[in-house]
Amino acid sequence: MFVYQKTLQYPVRIKKPNATLAKIIISQYGGPDGELGASLRYLSQRFAMPWEELKGVLTDIGTEELGHLEMIGALVHQLTRNLTPEEVKAQGFDAYFTDHTLGIYPQSAGGTPWNAAGIGVKGDVIADLTEDMSAEQKARVTYDNILRLSDDPDVNDVIRFLREREVVHFQRFGEALRLATDRLDHSNVYYMNPAYPIG
Amino acid sequence: MDKNKKQPASCGYKEGAFPSCAPLAVPYVAAQSGATPQYEPGKALVRGTLFPGLDLPLANIVNGDKTETPLLRVMALDFASHDLALYLDTHPQDQEAFEVYKELLALSEQAQREYAREYGPIDRRDLLEAKRYTWLEGPWPWEPGANGEV
């Protein structure tokens, strides 16, 4: 089960609302490489995993991603607070505002609603952990790109933290895959799927 | 990955060891060989990792230090213990790291309880020491002002 802790993982305090930035940052809420997908990917992959380290890494990183989802929500919320209809229009936030007012909706920067097609749960140890390493890289690049587009120091402070977490998670998934590989037959690591060692 | 193997002398803390031979057609990431060096918790939080070896920022631009507030201290200790927990998930035999983890957990627990007594609950157990039901009192974590002056 999950228990709520009433703090963010890292402080979000945005002095200056900026809906133009909110519009791109929301991609990490509900976009293809965002935090909602990350948490659901890892927390869902856990169930079929053999070996305790793999269950642990997926549980703990998946849980952390829920905290990142909350941080991105906080960023978008603070970037769009108290916007007047004129500001909504001037900052290009009108299409979003029409559908969601100032609520936080899981969608990509391009406006596509969150879609489970963006995550993989293959039920195979090597395939799933390789997907996770790739997902961390894609999320890192998304944060790189946000840093390239944003000149707000309050936003960048938070984005740098989240970007670094992707690097750390990549390392842990890489180590998890090595722990798995070490247990496989080195003359043929694809002899069978340890998450379904039948046939 | 043998946890008892020490880092070869030729590897710095930014590098990890590889086995001399490894199977083909499967990705290999160099494993972190130990949980040191570590940043102190406040610096770990602003850098996004406890481990200088994994601190790999875009264009080497890093966040500046933050003024320590009671909430930031809680966050920093919670974060440092969490990042060490992820390390322990893939290095469960590292007893030395586990001892450090327990120290961080104890400090984190203490900082949270002290914070809660002064400013309000962080988790439900903090209500054990509250005089009334303070769970609903804002600002909530995502609101401006919850994380210090804006």
Side-chain angles (χ1 to χ4, degrees), chain B residues 60-96:
Chain B
N60 279 344
I61 299 170
V62 299
N63 286 337
D65 290 341
K66 293 191 186 309
T67 315
E68 192 180 90
T69 61
L71 178 61
L72 206 72
R73 183 171 159 72
V74 171
M75 284 178 171
L77 287 165
D78 191 41
F79 174 73
S81 60
H82 166 74
D83 209 23
L84 191 52
L86 294 189
Y87 168 89
L88 284 164
D89 284 346
T90 54
H91 302 74
Q93 319 295 333
D94 189 337
Q95 198 59 32
E96 214 174 297

Side-chain angles (χ1 to χ4, degrees), chain B residues 70-141:
Chain B
L71 178 61
L72 206 72
R73 183 171 159 72
V74 171
M75 284 178 171
L77 287 165
D78 191 41
F79 174 73
S81 60
H82 166 74
D83 209 23
L84 191 52
L86 294 189
Y87 168 89
L88 284 164
D89 284 346
T90 54
H91 302 74
Q93 319 295 333
D94 189 337
Q95 198 59 32
E96 214 174 297
F98 182 62
E99 295 305 324
V100 175
Y101 179 63
K102 286 202 290 187
E103 285 167 27
L104 281 171
L105 272 186
L107 287 171
S108 173
E109 167 86 3
Q110 190 193 350
Q112 180 181 325
R113 301 303 168 220
E114 280 167 15
Y115 177 92
R117 272 196 290 275
E118 189 78 21
Y119 302 100
I122 285 179
D123 66 36
R124 294 273 175 179
R125 283 173 204 277
D126 290 330
L127 291 169
L128 279 169
E129 293 192 42
K131 293 189 178 64
R132 56 199 163 74
Y133 189 67
T134 50
W135 181 253
L136 300 177
E137 287 176 13
W140 286 74

Side-chain angles (χ1 to χ4, degrees), chain A residues 4-6 8 10 12-13 53 56 60 64 78 157 160-161 163-165 171-172 175 178 182 190, chain B residues 1 17 19 25 29-30 32 47-48 54 56 63 66 78 82-83 89-90 122 135 137 142 147 150:
Chain A
Y4 188 60
Q5 181 171 319
K6 208 176 163 191
L8 299 180
Y10 184 89
V12 174
R13 42 184 173 209
E53 297 96 328
D60 292 341
E64 184 183 349
Q78 294 185 28
D157 179 83
R160 279 192 205 102
F161 171 86
R163 176 196 172 281
E164 172 59 27
R165 297 310 296 151
Q171 175 68 24
R172 298 300 166 233
E175 288 168 347
R178 274 187 70 170
D182 285 352
Y190 297 110
Chain B
M1 207 163 48
V29 167
Q32 198 178 340
R47 291 302 186 90
L54 287 169
L56 308 169
N63 286 337
K66 293 191 186 309
D78 191 41
H82 166 74
D83 209 23
D89 284 346
T90 54
I122 285 179
W135 181 253
E137 287 176 13
W142 54 87
N147 300 285
V150 285

Side-chain angles (χ1 to χ4, degrees), chain A residues 37-94:
Chain A
S39 51
L40 288 181
R41 176 188 299 109
Y42 307 146
L43 293 175
S44 300
Q45 285 179 358
R46 299 181 295 165
F47 297 104
M49 281 290 168
W51 302 319
E52 311 312 316
E53 297 96 328
L54 309 189
K55 297 171 202 174
V57 164
L58 287 165
T59 299
D60 292 341
I61 295 180
T63 303
E64 184 183 349
E65 307 290 14
L66 288 171
H68 295 173
L69 181 72
E70 184 184 38
M71 284 173 62
I72 295 289
L75 264 178
V76 176
H77 170 66
Q78 294 185 28
L79 281 168
T80 56
R81 68 183 187 270
N82 304 327
L83 288 180
T84 64
E86 290 70 33
E87 287 167 331
V88 164
K89 270 189 275 187
Q91 296 175 28
F93 204 58
D94 43 349

Side-chain angles (χ1 to χ4, degrees), chain A residues 83-130:
Chain A
L83 288 180
T84 64
E86 290 70 33
E87 287 167 331
V88 164
K89 270 189 275 187
Q91 296 175 28
F93 204 58
D94 43 349
Y96 182 95
F97 182 86
T98 303
D99 290 332
H100 309 292
T101 325
L102 297 183
I104 306 297
Y105 181 73
Q107 68 168 47
S108 73
T112 309
W114 186 79
N115 191 328
I119 70 170
V121 181
K122 202 70 184 169
D124 176 281
V125 173
I126 295 176
D128 279 346
L129 289 172
T130 306

